[in-house]
Amino acid sequence: MPRLVIHRLPMAHPGDVSALATLIAGGTVPAASIRAVIGKTEGNGGLNDFTRGYFTQSLMQLLARETGEAAEDLAARIPCVLSGGTEGVLSPHYVVFAVEEAAGEAGLAIGTAFGPPVAPGDVGNDAQIARVADAVRAAMADAGIADASDIALVQVKSPAGGPGLLLRSVAGGAMGAALALGDVPAEEARGAALLERLDLFSPRVSASAGVEVERDEVVVLGKAPGWAPGLRMAVRAMADALDLRAVQSAFRAAGLETDPDVPEAQRPRIRAVLAKGEPDRTLRIRGQRHTMLGDTDIDAQRHLRGAVGAVIAAVAGDGRIFVSGGAAHQGPPGGGLVAVIAAEVA
Amino acid sequence: MPRLVIHRLPMAHPGDVSALATLIAGGTVPAASIRAVIGKTEGNGGLNDFTRGYFTQSLMQLLARETGEAAEDLAARIPCVLSGGTEGVLSPHYVVFAVEEAAGEAGLAIGTAFGPPVAPGDVGNDAQIARVADAVRAAMADAGIADASDIALVQVKSPAGGPGLLLRSVAGGAMGAALALGDVPAEEARGAALLERLDLFSPRVSASAGVEVERDEVVVLGKAPGWAPGLRMAVRAMADALDLRAVQSAFRAAGLETDPDVPEAQRPRIRAVLAKGEPDRTLRIRGQRHTMLGDTDIDAQRHLRGAVGAVIAAVAGDGRIFVSGGAAHQGPPGGGLVAVIAAEVA
Amino acid sequence: MPRLVIHRLPMAHPGDVSALATLIAGGTVPAASIRAVIGKTEGNGGLNDFTRGYFTQSLMQLLARETGEAAEDLAARIPCVLSGGTEGVLSPHYVVFAVEEAAGEAGLAIGTAFGPPVAPGDVGNDAQIARVADAVRAAMADAGIADASDIALVQVKSPAGGPGLLLRSVAGGAMGAALALGDVPAEEARGAALLERLDLFSPRVSASAGVEVERDEVVVLGKAPGWAPGLRMAVRAMADALDLRAVQSAFRAAGLETDPDVPEAQRPRIRAVLAKGEPDRTLRIRGQRHTMLGDTDIDAQRHLRGAVGAVIAAVAGDGRIFVSGGAAHQGPPGGGLVAVIAAEVA
Amino acid sequence: MPRLVIHRLPMAHPGDVSALATLIAGGTVPAASIRAVIGKTEGNGGLNDFTRGYFTQSLMQLLARETGEAAEDLAARIPCVLSGGTEGVLSPHYVVFAVEEAAGEAGLAIGTAFGPPVAPGDVGNDAQIARVADAVRAAMADAGIADASDIALVQVKSPAGGPGLLLRSVAGGAMGAALALGDVPAEEARGAALLERLDLFSPRVSASAGVEVERDEVVVLGKAPGWAPGLRMAVRAMADALDLRAVQSAFRAAGLETDPDVPEAQRPRIRAVLAKGEPDRTLRIRGQRHTMLGDTDIDAQRHLRGAVGAVIAAVAGDGRIFVSGGAAHQGPPGGGLVAVIAAEVA
């Protein structure tokens, strides 16, 4: 029976995959066992952030060397989801999802799927929503998860679709996954609602888009009978960027204490922390004016990640938080979500 | 008997003092009762941040109109300490310290002092340390505080002293105040120790420096028998930028609950939150690499304020946090301090 | 007969009007003779650039002190047009337009006008175009210029009109002036054409918008019989950001040599250089890709001003160039304009 | 007899080497004929600019695939010098230097050399100066250039040597090359003079340093009898960032007209334009204040490249200019150099 194993690894720079190389060389992680990689690189997280491509190229080169498969083929079957921007206390790192054989049942499962090639511009519309929903269902099948209520988190990555379409594509990917999960009803999960009906959301979906992406890519994480246990995962909606209570709640639901932060002895059990957030468009947080959206010098998403990332890192006691901006339909307006994966024992 | 009264006011932009104008016009705050102003403006907080000067000019113009005194004279007796940079969830605001007549004793007191004019370049040395220590003693006398152990916080503002000297001046101001408080022994509080002996610090001192400042300016806050009660103040050292425990402790010591944040009903009692922080020079926080000090596009102090400010704001439940970078000698290396002033009743 | 006199003055920071104070104190520029001020401050030129408001406040305070008029009244009759952003070689400065009595005729004239108060949001539409056109006609009448072909340049400043409307307001101001000049026919100068029909433009119009502006403000410069001579002014369209030939042409048309730059001996005759430019939306300049519009860390207009400003400054031999971004309808798409005012003798 | 052939190629992003791949595939540039690559990528040009590493990895992967040599071995014999930062009108591109067989003599030659491995920290001192001077002599021998007066330009790349040493390493590399060229006398080319004696410089040296570099790398370009003709190269010192006259002079010396820019018909003959510049440390250019060195939001070198690059691009009529900051000892203080390589026929 497969067991999901997660390694959270440091990088010295966006081209550094040496920590994974060491684990592969030592036999801890067979290269062929890797199913997905999610990471945070130290670029600006914007259009001209090339640290994501650099890391992906370096990763696929390593895996190609180790598996003998072509780098292109690996990239077409192993989702590699990167978010640029390690503002403030955030630390560049990547999370490797691999599987090993183990006994027991009803553990955390992973499933992945790649959709069909996407025609330029065919994002942010009904077609993308349907496409992504199909890919989520395929990934659920891959994981052996029959019931959407067992899904903890869906990570979606879609083609950016061309100039000016990036945020629409993120929204479309989120809506498609929310549809598959049943968190948004089919009659409302329409292209016309994207970026407009911010009340439609799933706090179990994290979406992104990239100019280099050619097909929708999906990773689902959730409980499945055919997987061996060992990891617990929990997700919580964040009502706003200051929602400390939700952050603590997610860690506790994953089996960790928070007093107010995770005790030092339990911190090694943290396997991954994933979050989405959004600068509040009302220009206020709990009634006070924020300045993220009017700063000509620092991009609003860089402001946001620095703030939300710090709140979560303060509870985790650790800066290795995957926090990504652009959270439309992935949590309440002005808020977002936080997901925690922890090992049951250290 | 004087009672310290504190108003925390919003600004729509760095030239907006209308909230104070309204309080003055309504009789809530007689213009003549104002003793000091501490605020956070939305500039970049660096050398080319002119929002501090703009706010000061606007404030002094208002007070000149209301009191009949010349703006220059007001600026020479009312310390106006501004920190630029409202990164992330931080909200531009200013805190007005005024006095009114009231009964009772042993309340929170304020004292201010201005040192002599400073010759260009005469900062970051033994002379500045002695000068600032004298000014702190004068401000203590002004407040009627005899025992340094009753001081909650000293705020110092010194001339920047010329190109390249800004950080030395901040350090010198901090060391001078630490000397006056007895937090650093006289034989160690020397110019040679500035920016070198980071183990020498007072977590009760917040220092800054500005190119526009001509004399050392000092505000002390602490308990004094001759002042009417009503406010409680507490300060805590922060061990690092993630020190959530210290933040909660400061709020609780000021009489507020934290569960994990200040309950909504108690938030109106918060009068001011002041903090200092510093990007860890070891390039790591709790063993994980941070990227604040190597980012060519975002200034390290902007990163820092965004992160530390968010952690504190998440506990306060409110983005109106005065958080300022450049914390050498104002808390442990890589850390800083957080101070909270709260009303005993709402 | 009035003669237009122009002084180009340095500022040490955005609150520094001491150079003008000295000229007023020395009798060179009677405070009452000042008709308009155009300047370049060292902010970021974006939404959160408060250096413009700071300078304006400082200027009006100075003039209020010198003339006895209220600062608000002065601001309502003296247009003060500031552009933030002194990227690269650009130097913060301001140009003071004043009038004195002199003999002779057919010299460079100045006229100003303020439109009616503008309702929020009433920009970027037919109404703004009509309003600005009226104001331009009023300013022409004020200058005594009957024929639009005698106009060298119209400077317009309009209310920003609310979030997201800033660029539409700039476009509307430009279109309104272009209509008054006859450079765009009335049937095409419509709200629907704004930011769409970039082929509709006047290379004799420089427009801006600001959140702090409440009424359209107009300055016209051109030749009029009722004004004494002494200054020559020329304007040229720039085809793109590299149009060195157009820059030289403008300087030569204003009576200066360019070999390739203005000879040192003639440079003191330069009174003002005003320019507009725009990052090419095709993402290419003469076939080569530029990266201004995709940079998450540096605002596109900051890139643009740094580049266009350097080209013009290299010809002028001097960094005091007023160059402003957002040039839609103020020159060819991807280009802009450059205007030079020079004294006939040093 | 070898002939130097130069191709200036576009890149769509820092991982894009497809233009070179096409030339190799078509037989125009045999992969084995490539001797050096110099390019400009669209990062921020600072410590956290990873576009240089990404491009280098992509380039060496391509050449490894084409030549069968290991990527590490290629990187150890083909200098790849990249400068990040395509501010303003600058266009990302790379210049490939290759050799082919041809007849004729006394043409432009290229020589390269790699020094020995450098111990950490062993830069910015006498040892680096000596080491780089030796490497320059080796590269001259490689090119067959006996007389230093035949050298047009030396490009040096040195290890950064650790935190805080980057600028010293650039200076040391420049001084070492200046020593080898005889442009700075041996008794003055000392570690103690680095970054201090800015009057010591060679306007024929362009130096850089990188954290990823392990050995000094040198490229020399100059006239040698054993090379076939076809290219002309010229270099000029720039007195300051506005030195338009020097820029035109360099183009003319390379055989092109400037009126004021290179005529469109001659532009295809331009093979490479290389420049160095520096924000003037006096904080003034020709007496006017600049703000590059005090901007907390935009790095000074980004300002500089945007300005100097635009002046040169305006003459070239083309944004593909390699302009790099950090010009100490590579031209007059506050200035730098510009070098042009042009084909004798299109």
Side-chain angles (χ1 to χ4, degrees):
Chain A
M1 187 163 288
R3 177 160 64 192
L4 177 60
V5 187
I6 297 178
H7 296 274
R8 188 160 55 153
L9 303 174
M11 63 176 92
H13 59 77
D16 174 30
V17 290
S18 60
L20 178 57
T22 300
L23 290 186
I24 292 173
T28 307
V29 177
S33 73
I34 296 171
R35 296 291 305 275
V37 173
I38 298 182
K40 198 92 194 98
T41 53
E42 60 202 278
N44 63 30
L47 274 178
N48 67 327
D49 181 351
F50 302 101
T51 61
R52 297 170 295 211
Y54 186 18
F55 180 86
T56 303
Q57 182 179 85
S58 302
L59 174 72
M60 296 303 169
Q61 255 185 273
L62 167 67
L63 297 183
R65 207 156 51 225
E66 296 289 342
T67 62
E69 275 184 77
E72 308 83 271
D73 296 343
L74 289 161
R77 72 168 176 82
I78 302 178
C80 180
V81 181
L82 299 166
S83 165
T86 54
E87 292 78 13
V89 300
L90 297 174
S91 187
H93 71 286
Y94 56 111
V95 178
V96 177
F97 297 81
V99 289
E100 62 182 19
E101 275 303 301
E105 64 176 58
L108 188 66
I110 188 170
T112 60
F114 283 71
V118 175
D122 201 8
V123 299
N125 55 12
D126 289 346
Q128 184 195 18
I129 294 171
R131 245 180 16 232
V132 170
D134 282 345
V136 171
R137 289 180 202 112
M140 285 174 65
D142 182 47
I145 301 174
D147 185 343
S149 70
D150 286 331
I151 296 286
L153 190 77
V154 178
Q155 179 73 48
V156 183
K157 193 169 121 184
S158 292
L165 289 176
L166 192 124
L167 285 180
R168 282 197 72 77
S169 177
V170 172
M175 193 67 91
L179 170 62
L181 296 181
D183 289 349
V184 169
E187 63 274 18
E188 309 214 88
R190 309 302 299 268
L194 298 178
L195 300 176
E196 295 294 329
R197 293 283 310 280
L198 296 178
D199 59 306
L200 301 176
F201 63 84
S202 169
R204 302 187 288 163
V205 172
S206 165
S208 66
V211 285
E212 74 287 2
V213 183
E214 291 169 5
R215 305 193 288 159
D216 302 302
E217 304 182 14
V218 169
V219 180
V220 300
L221 293 161
K223 213 171 177 176
W227 289 71
L231 296 172
R232 281 177 67 178
M233 182 164 187
V235 64
R236 290 292 180 275
M238 290 182 69
D240 60 24
L242 299 178
D243 195 350
L244 183 56
R245 191 175 294 260
V247 175
Q248 284 192 334
S249 174
F251 279 89
R252 282 200 302 267
L256 301 161
E257 294 166 60
T258 57
D259 179 34
D261 49 351
V262 176
E264 194 167 352
Q266 295 183 7
R267 287 180 203 152
R269 288 172 45 201
I270 302 173
R271 287 292 179 272
V273 185
L274 311 169
K276 294 290 293 187
E278 183 81 2
D280 199 306
R281 299 178 189 198
T282 66
L283 306 184
R284 292 185 178 264
I285 301 174
R286 300 189 191 179
Q288 305 303 324
R289 184 166 70 95
H290 71 79
T291 62
M292 296 185 256
L293 287 162
D295 189 337
T296 297
D297 291 308
I298 299 187
D299 180 63
Q301 302 294 353
R302 301 201 72 175
H303 273 291
L304 185 279
R305 288 188 300 260
V308 172
V311 172
I312 300 173
V315 174
D318 186 317
R320 290 171 296 172
I321 311 296
F322 175 95
V323 57
S324 151
H329 312 300
Q330 300 150 70
L337 64 87
V338 55
V340 177
I341 309 177
E344 289 173 1
V345 294
Chain B
M1 185 163 291
R3 178 160 62 191
L4 178 59
V5 187
I6 297 178
H7 296 274
R8 187 161 55 154
L9 304 174
M11 61 175 93
H13 58 77
D16 174 31
V17 290
S18 60
L20 179 57
T22 300
L23 290 186
I24 293 173
T28 307
V29 177
S33 74
I34 295 170
R35 297 292 303 276
V37 174
I38 297 181
K40 197 95 195 93
T41 54
E42 61 202 277
N44 63 29
L47 274 177
N48 67 326
D49 181 352
F50 303 100
T51 62
R52 295 169 298 211
Y54 186 19
F55 180 85
T56 303
Q57 185 178 85
S58 303
L59 175 72
M60 297 303 169
Q61 256 185 273
L62 168 67
L63 298 183
R65 205 154 57 223
E66 295 290 342
T67 62
E69 277 184 77
E72 309 82 89
D73 296 344
L74 289 161
R77 73 169 176 80
I78 301 177
C80 180
V81 182
L82 299 166
S83 165
T86 55
E87 292 79 13
V89 299
L90 297 173
S91 187
H93 70 287
Y94 55 111
V95 178
V96 177
F97 297 82
V99 289
E100 63 181 20
E101 276 303 301
E105 64 178 58
L108 188 65
I110 189 171
T112 60
F114 283 71
V118 174
D122 202 8
V123 300
N125 54 13
D126 289 346
Q128 184 195 17
I129 295 171
R131 249 180 14 234
V132 170
D134 282 346
V136 171
R137 289 180 201 111
M140 287 174 64
D142 182 47
I145 301 174
D147 186 343
S149 69
D150 286 332
I151 297 287
L153 190 76
V154 179
Q155 179 74 48
V156 182
K157 191 170 125 183
S158 293
L165 290 175
L166 193 125
L167 284 180
R168 283 196 72 77
S169 177
V170 172
M175 192 67 91
L179 171 63
L181 296 181
D183 288 349
V184 170
E187 63 274 18
E188 307 215 86
R190 309 301 300 269
L194 298 177
L195 300 176
E196 296 291 331
R197 292 283 310 279
L198 296 177
D199 59 307
L200 302 175
F201 62 84
S202 169
R204 301 187 287 164
V205 173
S206 165
S208 67
V211 287
E212 73 289 2
V213 183
E214 291 170 4
R215 305 193 291 159
D216 302 302
E217 304 182 13
V218 170
V219 180
V220 300
L221 293 161
K223 212 169 179 182
W227 289 71
L231 295 173
R232 280 176 68 178
M233 180 165 188
V235 65
R236 290 291 180 274
M238 289 182 71
D240 59 26
L242 299 177
D243 196 351
L244 182 57
R245 191 174 294 261
V247 175
Q248 284 193 334
S249 174
F251 279 90
R252 282 199 302 266
L256 300 161
E257 293 166 61
T258 56
D259 179 35
D261 50 351
V262 175
E264 193 167 352
Q266 296 184 6
R267 287 181 204 152
R269 287 171 47 201
I270 302 173
R271 286 292 179 272
V273 184
L274 312 169
K276 292 290 291 190
E278 183 82 4
D280 199 305
R281 299 180 190 198
T282 66
L283 306 185
R284 290 184 178 266
I285 300 174
R286 301 190 191 177
Q288 303 304 324
R289 186 164 69 95
H290 71 78
T291 62
M292 296 186 255
L293 288 163
D295 190 337
T296 296
D297 292 308
I298 299 187
D299 181 62
Q301 302 294 352
R302 300 200 74 176
H303 273 292
L304 185 281
R305 288 189 301 259
V308 172
V311 173
I312 300 173
V315 174
D318 185 318
R320 290 170 296 171
I321 310 296
F322 174 95
V323 56
S324 151
H329 311 301
Q330 300 150 71
L337 64 86
V338 55
V340 177
I341 309 177
E344 288 172 2
V345 293
Chain C
M1 185 161 294
R3 175 159 66 190
L4 178 59
V5 187
I6 297 177
H7 296 274
R8 187 161 57 154
L9 303 173
M11 62 176 92
H13 58 78
D16 174 31
V17 291
S18 60
L20 178 58
T22 300
L23 290 187
I24 293 173
T28 308
V29 177
S33 73
I34 296 172
R35 297 290 305 277
V37 173
I38 297 181
K40 197 94 195 95
T41 55
E42 60 203 278
N44 63 31
L47 275 178
N48 67 326
D49 181 351
F50 303 101
T51 61
R52 297 169 296 211
Y54 187 18
F55 181 85
T56 304
Q57 184 181 81
S58 303
L59 174 72
M60 296 304 170
Q61 259 186 269
L62 167 67
L63 297 183
R65 207 157 52 228
E66 296 289 343
T67 61
E69 274 185 79
E72 308 83 270
D73 296 343
L74 288 162
R77 70 167 177 82
I78 302 178
C80 180
V81 182
L82 299 167
S83 164
T86 53
E87 292 78 13
V89 300
L90 297 172
S91 189
H93 70 286
Y94 55 112
V95 177
V96 178
F97 296 82
V99 290
E100 61 181 23
E101 276 302 302
E105 66 176 56
L108 188 66
I110 188 171
T112 61
F114 283 71
V118 175
D122 203 8
V123 301
N125 54 13
D126 289 347
Q128 183 195 17
I129 294 171
R131 249 183 9 238
V132 170
D134 282 346
V136 171
R137 289 179 202 109
M140 286 174 63
D142 182 48
I145 302 174
D147 185 344
S149 70
D150 287 331
I151 297 286
L153 190 77
V154 178
Q155 178 74 48
V156 182
K157 189 170 124 184
S158 291
L165 290 175
L166 193 124
L167 285 181
R168 281 198 72 77
S169 177
V170 172
M175 192 68 89
L179 169 64
L181 295 181
D183 289 348
V184 170
E187 64 275 17
E188 308 214 87
R190 310 300 298 267
L194 298 178
L195 300 176
E196 295 293 331
R197 291 284 310 280
L198 297 177
D199 59 306
L200 301 176
F201 63 84
S202 167
R204 300 187 288 163
V205 172
S206 164
S208 66
V211 286
E212 75 287 2
V213 182
E214 291 168 5
R215 305 193 289 160
D216 302 302
E217 305 182 13
V218 169
V219 181
V220 301
L221 294 160
K223 212 171 178 180
W227 289 71
L231 295 172
R232 281 176 68 178
M233 182 164 187
V235 64
R236 289 292 180 273
M238 288 181 71
D240 59 26
L242 299 178
D243 195 352
L244 183 58
R245 189 175 295 261
V247 176
Q248 284 191 334
S249 173
F251 280 89
R252 283 199 301 266
L256 300 161
E257 295 166 59
T258 56
D259 179 35
D261 49 352
V262 175
E264 194 167 353
Q266 294 183 8
R267 288 181 203 153
R269 286 171 45 200
I270 302 173
R271 286 291 180 273
V273 185
L274 311 169
K276 293 291 292 189
E278 183 83 3
D280 199 304
R281 299 178 189 199
T282 66
L283 307 183
R284 292 186 177 265
I285 300 174
R286 301 190 190 177
Q288 303 304 323
R289 186 165 68 97
H290 70 79
T291 63
M292 297 186 254
L293 287 163
D295 190 339
T296 297
D297 292 308
I298 300 186
D299 181 64
Q301 301 294 351
R302 301 200 73 175
H303 274 291
L304 185 280
R305 289 188 300 259
V308 172
V311 173
I312 300 173
V315 174
D318 186 318
R320 290 172 296 172
I321 310 297
F322 175 95
V323 57
S324 154
H329 311 300
Q330 300 151 68
L337 65 86
V338 55
V340 177
I341 310 177
E344 288 172 2
V345 293
Chain D
M1 187 164 290
R3 176 158 65 190
L4 178 59
V5 187
I6 296 178
H7 297 274
R8 187 160 56 154
L9 304 173
M11 62 176 93
H13 58 77
D16 175 30
V17 291
S18 60
L20 178 57
T22 301
L23 291 186
I24 293 174
T28 308
V29 177
S33 75
I34 296 171
R35 296 292 305 275
V37 173
I38 297 181
K40 198 94 195 94
T41 54
E42 60 202 279
N44 63 30
L47 274 178
N48 67 326
D49 181 350
F50 303 101
T51 61
R52 298 170 293 212
Y54 187 19
F55 180 85
T56 303
Q57 184 178 83
S58 304
L59 174 72
M60 296 304 168
Q61 257 186 270
L62 168 67
L63 297 183
R65 208 159 50 228
E66 296 289 343
T67 62
E69 274 185 79
E72 308 84 89
D73 295 343
L74 289 161
R77 72 168 177 80
I78 301 177
C80 178
V81 182
L82 299 166
S83 165
T86 53
E87 292 78 12
V89 298
L90 297 173
S91 187
H93 71 287
Y94 55 112
V95 177
V96 177
F97 296 81
V99 289
E100 61 181 22
E101 276 302 301
E105 65 176 56
L108 188 65
I110 188 171
T112 60
F114 283 70
V118 174
D122 203 10
V123 302
N125 54 13
D126 289 347
Q128 184 194 17
I129 294 171
R131 248 182 11 238
V132 170
D134 282 347
V136 171
R137 288 179 203 112
M140 286 173 63
D142 182 48
I145 302 174
D147 185 344
S149 69
D150 286 333
I151 297 285
L153 189 76
V154 178
Q155 179 74 47
V156 182
K157 190 169 125 186
S158 292
L165 289 175
L166 192 124
L167 284 181
R168 282 198 72 77
S169 178
V170 173
M175 191 68 89
L179 170 63
L181 295 181
D183 288 349
V184 170
E187 63 275 17
E188 307 215 85
R190 309 302 297 266
L194 298 177
L195 300 175
E196 295 293 330
R197 291 283 311 280
L198 297 177
D199 60 305
L200 301 176
F201 63 84
S202 169
R204 301 187 288 164
V205 172
S206 165
S208 67
V211 287
E212 75 288 1
V213 183
E214 292 170 3
R215 305 194 288 160
D216 303 302
E217 305 181 12
V218 170
V219 179
V220 301
L221 293 161
K223 211 172 180 178
W227 290 70
L231 297 172
R232 279 177 69 177
M233 180 165 189
V235 63
R236 291 291 182 272
M238 288 182 71
D240 59 26
L242 300 177
D243 195 352
L244 183 57
R245 190 175 294 260
V247 175
Q248 285 191 333
S249 173
F251 279 89
R252 283 199 301 266
L256 301 161
E257 293 166 61
T258 58
D259 178 35
D261 49 351
V262 175
E264 195 167 352
Q266 295 183 7
R267 288 181 203 153
R269 287 172 44 200
I270 302 175
R271 286 293 179 271
V273 185
L274 311 170
K276 293 290 292 188
E278 183 83 3
D280 199 304
R281 299 181 190 196
T282 65
L283 306 183
R284 289 183 178 268
I285 300 173
R286 300 190 192 179
Q288 303 303 324
R289 186 165 70 94
H290 70 81
T291 63
M292 295 187 256
L293 288 163
D295 188 338
T296 297
D297 291 310
I298 299 187
D299 181 63
Q301 302 294 351
R302 300 199 75 176
H303 273 292
L304 185 280
R305 287 189 299 259
V308 172
V311 173
I312 300 173
V315 174
D318 185 317
R320 291 172 295 171
I321 310 295
F322 175 95
V323 55
S324 153
H329 313 300
Q330 299 151 70
L337 64 87
V338 55
V340 177
I341 309 177
E344 287 173 3
V345 294

